[in-house]
């Protein structure tokens, strides 16, 4: 975290009141940029929404400079503003690059130096208690330092954390030496496992608590969607008081909130909680939970993997047994565990088991429960539960009390904001989509949506090619016709291809085929190395292709000659057997709406728009987005999907596309 000058408390009156346009102009000029009409329009609209307390949706295409478009009004707002992002990468960019540069560039027109801070979940910070006092194992005994490379990583992390504590650094995982997830777990704790600042002997030095203190003095607090969900929706105070929140990467908000509200329960997890508790509580209570774990294992074994629409009696009984045994075991710890870290963490594990089992056993109509047949390394077979919808919580617990600005390059689906606004809780009629009757309290929140466009000329810079001559994709993945098409397209582009596939298997099959048929090119596949390393290789050599799945569809920025062809193997509809998406689709159908369009087509439109957006990243970029799914042309939903994409020039003419790629490759 960069060192900042001290500043008055948020809300203190500034001696002068520069306008949004003045601060933005000063910042842009100092940074060597030029005025962008879309950025100016966005900044003034955001400032107006903050002042009028009206919710705002802003679609700001790539190249608009949307971070300045909301950071400038955020710095000028009289009260604290929270900025929530979906990804750590954007969070890092805002705190390490955008905010420092903006404040430095506009210091001559600002009456004071605003303060900013970053706030993450507790497990993102090193825990000094765990580092100095040790890590308890399943029985509560201290774990010895691991041997080999893991032990070396842990030692390096411990040394780094002590250095951070000495210099009062952030202790943030992003600044730590290179490490694995397994090593980081040896030096961090979850919120449930934490002793609490008052009881921890190292509370005064705690990195997570110091971050919260810094946030309490900041004008702008940068956090993530999950922290926002826990604070606003679950009611757990995580963020200092604020009245405005800017949600960047807003197209991901419902998925991130859903993820934050999803819980899992496995027999292995229950057994582990039992072993941890045995050291601190009498054997009978712990034995009861161990027996309940066995009952749960037998019940899950009797269920086919997938959504549980009507809970079998054996499973309902097992969940109730786990719930009751966990409740009794929690009581066995007593109200206080003192400064005994082992007892505190053991109790936290059992409390988590109790809370999850209680939720599943309740069989609420607002939840979806499913079983999954996972590998033993991932905890083995288990149960999951997630909310059927999250728009209601967003509306009642966030929109009702805060002013929210939603922004992304992808907010208009099918040509308007209504579809996404409904998923965010801004359209009251969306309640019908999950089978609930509208009530008198369903008055829609006032909101407006604006599209500030993009400085890019998409129709001149890129082509959207729909391979309408290909057969419709089947369940068996890529067929010979699709492979042949990919080979011809990549050959014409001479590499320079980002392949976005619906499954890891499809990406692997395509990569293997191209290595055999185009041996002069370098073909990289996700999973063969860490994504940053693969991306670095892809950027370094234009005669390279990078094939992958979900994590490549959004957030990867590859401007220039590196990427002149984006191949999408099929429309990314959710899998028919996806428990949560299929439940949402069924609920919409039962309510008399088109579940396919409401859920599946909306999901596909968002991913397609994000995937197609990987092509044009600067005004100099040129290329082709090739969709190998003929359903994007001529189906009843094709118009909705195409209207959600960047306005590229469109064609189904294969010859035209191959010629364009060859000319680009030739320079």
């Amino acid at each position: 975290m960069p060192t900042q000058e001290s500043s008055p408390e948020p809300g203190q009156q500034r001696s002068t009141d520069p306008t949004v346009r003045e601060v933005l102009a000063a910042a842009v000029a100092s940074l060597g940029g030029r005025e962008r009409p879309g950025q100016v329009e966005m900044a003034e609209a955001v400032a107006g929404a903050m002042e009028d307390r009206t919710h705002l949706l802003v679609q700001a295409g790539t190249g608009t400079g949307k971070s300045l478009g909301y950071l400038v009004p955020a710095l000028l707002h009289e009260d604290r503003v929270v900025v929530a992002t979906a990804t750590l990468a954007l969070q890092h960019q805002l705190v390490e690059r955008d905010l420092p540069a903006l404040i430095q560039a506009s210091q001559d027109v600002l009456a004071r130096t605003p303060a900013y801070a970053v706030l993450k979940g507790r497990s993102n910070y090193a825990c000094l208690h765990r580092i100095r006092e040790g890590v308890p194992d399943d029985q509560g005994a201290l774990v010895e330092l691991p041997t080999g490379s893991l032990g070396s990583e842990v030692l390096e992390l411990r040394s780094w954390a002590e250095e951070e504590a000495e210099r009062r650094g952030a202790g943030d995982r992003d600044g730590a030496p290179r490490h694995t997830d397994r090593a980081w777990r040896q030096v961090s704790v979850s919120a449930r496992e934490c002793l609490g600042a008052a009881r921890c002997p190292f509370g005064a030095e705690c990195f997570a608590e110091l971050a919260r203190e810094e946030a309490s003095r900041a004008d702008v607090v940068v956090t993530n969607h999950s922290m926002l969900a826990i604070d606003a929706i679950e009611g757990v105070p995580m963020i200092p008081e604020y009245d405005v929140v800017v949600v960047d990467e807003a197209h991901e908000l419902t998925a991130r909130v859903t993820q934050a509200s999803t819980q899992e329960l496995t027999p292995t997890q229950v057994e582990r909680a039992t072993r941890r508790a045995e050291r601190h509580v009498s054997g009978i209570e712990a034995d009861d939970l161990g027996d309940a774990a066995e009952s749960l294992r037998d019940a899950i074994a009797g269920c086919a993997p997938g959504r549980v629409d009507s809970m079998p009696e054996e499973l309902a009984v097992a969940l109730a047994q786990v719930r009751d045994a966990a409740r009794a075991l929690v009581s066995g710890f007593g109200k206080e565990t003192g400064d005994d870290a082992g007892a505190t963490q053991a109790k936290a594990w059992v409390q988590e088991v109790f809370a999850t089992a209680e939720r599943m056993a309740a069989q609420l109509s607002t939840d979806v429960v499913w079983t999954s047949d996972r590998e033993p390394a991932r905890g083995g077979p288990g149960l999951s539960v997630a909310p059927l919808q999250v728009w209601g919580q967003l509306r009642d617990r966030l929109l009702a009390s805060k002013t929210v600005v939603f922004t992304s390059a992808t907010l208009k689906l099918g040509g308007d904001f209504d579809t996404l606004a409904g998923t965010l809780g801004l359209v009251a009629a969306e309640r019908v989509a999950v089978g609930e009757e509208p009530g008198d309290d369903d008055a829609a929140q006032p909101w407006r949506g604006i599209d500030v466009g993009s400085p890019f000329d998409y129709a001149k810079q890129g082509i959207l090619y729909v391979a309408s001559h290909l057969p419709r994709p089947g369940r068996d993945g890529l067929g010979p016709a699709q492979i042949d098409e990919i080979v011809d397209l990549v050959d014409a582009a001479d590499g320079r291809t980002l392949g976005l596939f619906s499954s890891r298997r499809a990406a692997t099959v395509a990569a293997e085929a191209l290595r055999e048929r185009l041996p002069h090119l370098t073909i990289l596949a996700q999973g063969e190395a860490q994504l940053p390393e693969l991306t670095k290789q892809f950027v370094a050599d234009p005669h390279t292709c990078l094939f992958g799945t979900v994590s490549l569809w959004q957030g990867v920025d590859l401007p220039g000659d590196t990427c002149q062809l984006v191949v999408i193997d099929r429309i990314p509809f959710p899998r028919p057997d996806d428990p949560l998406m299929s439940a949402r689709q069924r609920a919409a159908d039962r309510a008399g709406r088109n579940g396919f369009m409401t859920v599946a087509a909306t999901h596909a439109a968002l991913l397609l728009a994000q995937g197609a957006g990987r092509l044009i990243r600067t005004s100099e970029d040129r290329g082709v987005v090739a969709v190998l799914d003929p359903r994007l042309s001529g189906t009843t939903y094709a118009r909705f999907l195409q209207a959600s994409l960047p306005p590229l020039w469109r064609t189904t003419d294969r010859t035209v596309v191959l010629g364009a790629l060859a000319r680009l490759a030739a320079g």
Side-chain angles (χ1 to χ4, degrees):
M1 181 77 187
T3 303
Q4 303 172 56
E5 298 176 26
S6 60
S7 62
E9 290 294 316
Q12 180 171 321
Q13 184 66 37
R14 296 175 171 87
S15 58
T16 61
D17 293 310
T19 66
V20 165
R21 187 180 284 265
E22 288 171 343
V23 175
L24 184 60
V28 169
S30 178
L31 295 170
R34 56 184 175 79
E35 181 178 292
R36 305 177 194 181
Q39 188 181 60
V40 174
E41 181 185 359
M42 176 180 179
E44 293 187 329
V46 171
M50 291 178 176
E51 183 177 349
D52 299 339
R53 297 190 60 80
T54 301
H55 304 306
L56 177 69
L57 277 74
V58 185
Q59 176 158 294
T62 306
T64 303
K66 64 179 167 62
S67 59
L68 285 186
Y70 60 72
L71 288 177
V72 167
L75 292 180
L76 294 176
H77 187 59
E78 61 182 358
D79 293 309
R80 181 180 295 111
V81 174
V82 169
V83 177
T85 73
T87 62
L88 288 174
L90 179 56
Q91 198 176 85
H92 185 81
Q93 174 191 313
L94 293 174
V95 174
E96 299 298 331
R97 191 184 76 185
D98 294 350
L99 275 163
L102 170 59
I103 291 172
Q104 177 67 28
S106 56
Q107 59 183 346
D108 290 341
V109 294
L110 291 172
R112 65 184 181 95
T113 302
Y116 60 90
V118 63
L119 197 55
K120 301 179 182 180
R122 191 168 293 272
S123 62
N124 286 284
Y125 301 95
C127 172
L128 293 172
H129 187 279
R130 172 157 283 195
I131 288 166
R132 294 168 180 172
E133 300 292 332
V135 184
D137 63 11
D138 287 352
Q139 281 74 41
L142 294 182
V143 175
E144 294 183 4
L145 183 69
T147 58
S149 59
L150 178 60
S152 299
E153 283 185 62
V154 174
L155 280 175
E156 189 175 11
L157 286 170
R158 287 180 178 180
S159 297
W160 162 79
E162 292 293 358
E163 291 171 6
E164 287 285 281
E166 187 175 344
R167 69 181 188 87
R168 291 186 68 82
D172 184 342
R173 182 176 184 176
D174 277 356
R178 189 173 180 178
H179 60 274
T180 60
D181 290 346
R182 190 178 174 195
W184 184 255
R185 287 195 292 270
Q186 300 288 316
V187 298
S188 64
V189 295
S190 67
R192 281 190 181 274
E193 294 173 317
C194 177
L195 284 172
R199 289 186 295 168
C200 179
F202 311 111
E205 302 174 84
C206 175
F207 296 122
E209 292 299 320
L210 290 173
R212 293 187 69 176
E213 287 180 21
E214 186 175 14
S216 70
R217 299 189 294 270
D219 299 277
V220 175
V221 176
V222 180
T223 188
N224 57 54
H225 291 180
S226 296
M227 287 279 284
L228 178 66
I230 294 168
D231 181 86
I233 296 175
E234 297 186 18
V236 179
M238 305 290 288
I239 305 172
E241 191 63 33
Y242 61 97
D243 73 333
V244 174
V245 57
V246 177
V247 180
D248 201 345
E249 302 176 306
H251 62 278
E252 288 220 47
L253 181 63
T254 57
R256 299 288 175 147
V257 172
T258 298
Q259 186 178 42
S261 303
T262 299
Q263 294 173 294
E264 294 184 345
L265 186 67
T266 69
T268 301
Q269 175 189 351
V270 178
E271 289 169 343
R272 190 173 183 186
T274 302
R275 290 194 298 269
R276 286 198 165 199
E278 284 174 340
R279 189 179 179 90
H280 308 283
V281 181
S282 65
I284 295 176
E285 289 152 326
D287 288 345
D288 287 347
L289 188 57
D291 292 342
E294 280 302 314
S295 298
L296 182 63
R297 177 175 283 108
D298 292 341
I300 292 173
C303 298
R307 194 175 68 232
V308 180
D309 290 326
S310 179
M311 189 170 290
E313 182 178 358
E314 184 182 3
L315 183 58
V317 169
L319 284 170
Q321 186 179 348
V322 172
R323 176 199 63 200
D324 296 344
R327 180 194 288 121
L329 193 50
V330 169
S331 299
F333 279 95
K335 292 185 178 180
E336 295 293 335
T337 55
D339 59 359
D340 184 342
T344 297
Q345 292 173 13
K347 184 178 181 181
W349 274 69
V350 179
Q351 284 175 322
E352 187 171 348
V353 167
F354 165 71
T356 306
E358 182 181 46
R359 179 181 173 186
M360 291 177 174
Q363 302 182 49
L364 299 174
S365 62
T366 52
D367 273 339
V368 180
V369 176
W370 67 93
T371 61
S372 46
D373 189 14
R374 290 170 293 202
E375 296 294 326
R378 296 183 57 216
L383 291 169
S384 299
V385 61
L388 180 60
Q389 51 85 5
V390 297
W391 66 262
Q393 296 97 306
L394 287 170
R395 187 198 61 184
D396 297 340
R397 300 174 190 173
L398 178 64
L399 298 171
S401 59
K402 313 292 183 187
T403 300
V404 186
V405 175
F406 300 97
T407 185
S408 168
T410 311
L411 289 180
K412 292 173 71 174
L413 299 180
D416 61 46
F417 290 103
D418 291 347
T419 298
L420 207 61
T423 68
L424 295 169
L426 288 166
V427 178
E430 186 67 14
R431 179 180 289 269
V432 181
V434 293
E436 299 177 25
E437 292 298 323
D440 294 336
D441 62 338
D442 276 337
Q445 292 284 337
W447 65 280
R448 62 186 288 251
I450 62 168
D451 182 354
V452 300
S454 168
F456 305 150
D457 190 340
Y458 284 104
K460 290 185 177 180
Q461 290 183 242
I463 297 172
L464 173 64
Y465 166 53
V466 180
S468 58
H469 64 283
L470 293 177
R472 289 192 174 199
R475 292 187 176 182
D476 296 333
L478 294 177
Q482 283 85 5
I483 293 292
D484 290 344
E485 190 77 8
I486 295 172
V487 169
D488 290 345
L489 289 166
V490 171
D491 193 26
D494 199 19
R496 302 177 174 87
T497 302
L498 179 66
L500 305 177
F501 293 87
S502 53
S503 69
R504 181 69 65 87
R505 178 173 175 270
T508 301
V509 167
E512 290 174 350
L514 265 69
R515 284 169 183 155
E516 180 180 342
R517 295 170 63 175
L518 301 175
H520 59 289
L521 299 177
T522 300
I523 312 297
L524 306 173
Q526 191 175 355
E528 296 174 343
Q530 294 296 312
L531 190 55
E533 183 180 337
L534 291 173
T535 304
K536 185 177 180 180
Q537 287 182 255
F538 182 51
V539 171
D541 180 8
H543 305 294
T544 302
C545 301
L546 175 57
F547 291 173
T549 55
V550 175
S551 55
L552 292 181
W553 283 76
Q554 46 195 338
V556 178
D557 195 16
L558 304 166
D561 294 343
T562 292
C563 180
Q564 294 182 342
L565 172 62
V566 174
V567 172
I568 297 174
D569 70 330
R570 64 193 300 161
I571 298 172
F573 293 121
R575 290 171 54 94
D577 59 355
D578 181 297
L580 184 56
M581 300 298 275
S582 62
R584 289 175 172 174
Q585 188 167 326
R586 183 184 63 174
D589 284 333
R590 287 179 173 176
R593 305 188 68 186
N594 187 324
F596 172 79
M597 293 301 297
T598 301
V599 179
T602 296
H603 173 86
L606 274 173
L607 271 180
L608 269 181
Q610 286 291 306
R614 297 311 97 202
L615 181 68
I616 306 298
R617 310 302 295 175
T618 73
S619 59
E620 304 300 319
D621 291 342
R622 301 288 187 275
V624 173
V625 174
V627 181
L628 310 185
D629 191 334
R631 295 175 296 176
L632 193 56
S633 176
T635 56
T636 55
Y637 49 82
R639 181 177 297 179
F640 173 80
L641 296 177
Q642 289 204 26
S644 306
L645 301 178
L648 303 164
W649 185 76
R650 296 169 184 174
T651 185
T652 58
D653 191 324
R654 185 173 187 271
T655 304
V656 168
V657 169
L658 292 175
L661 288 170
R663 287 191 296 274
L664 284 172

